[in-house]
Amino acid sequence: MGGVGIRQIACGSGHTVVLTNSGEVYTWGKDTNAGPVITQVTCGSYHTAAVSASGDLYTWGGGMYGKLGHGNEAGCSIPKRVEGLAGLPVALVSVASVL
C-alpha cells in the first residue's frame, strides 16, 4: 500500500478490510470503503463493522437476521451508522462469522 502504516486487518468470508494508522479504511471483495476516521474494524461472514473516533458504530454488507443492527434484514453496500446506538460511545466491536 505504498508506505501506508497498517493498524489492523480483518477478513470475512467474502471480503477483507484494512485499517490504516491514520484511520482510513480500505476494503475489497464483496464490500466498499468507509468515510469517517475509523479506530477499529471487524468482519463477519458477509458483513463489516467499524468504530469511528467519535464513538459511532458503522456496519455494512449482508443484513440477514438483522446482524447490521439497523432494525431490519436489508443489506447495505456502504457504511451506515447504527442509529440505535447514537449518543452511546462505542469503543470496540466484535461480530460473529456463521459458516
Side-chain angles (χ1 to χ4, degrees):
M1 291 188 46
V4 174
I6 303 298
R7 178 184 302 173
Q8 184 184 359
I9 299 173
C11 298
S13 297
H15 67 295
T16 301
V17 60
V18 171
L19 172 62
T20 69
N21 288 335
S22 62
E24 296 174 306
V25 174
Y26 296 90
T27 64
W28 56 92
K30 295 184 176 190
D31 232 11
T32 188
N33 61 358
V37 174
I38 301 298
T39 57
Q40 193 244 336
V41 294
T42 189
C43 292
S45 295
Y46 293 99
H47 64 297
T48 302
V51 177
S52 73
S54 61
D56 289 321
L57 176 63
Y58 291 85
T59 60
W60 65 102
M64 303 75 78
Y65 313 113
K67 63 187 173 185
L68 297 180
H70 301 298
N72 56 43
E73 292 190 27
C76 293
S77 61
I78 60 172
K80 181 178 178 183
R81 187 171 83 157
V82 177
E83 296 298 332
L85 296 176
L88 300 172
V90 175
L92 294 171
V93 64
S94 178
V95 299
S97 291
V98 179
L99 301 176

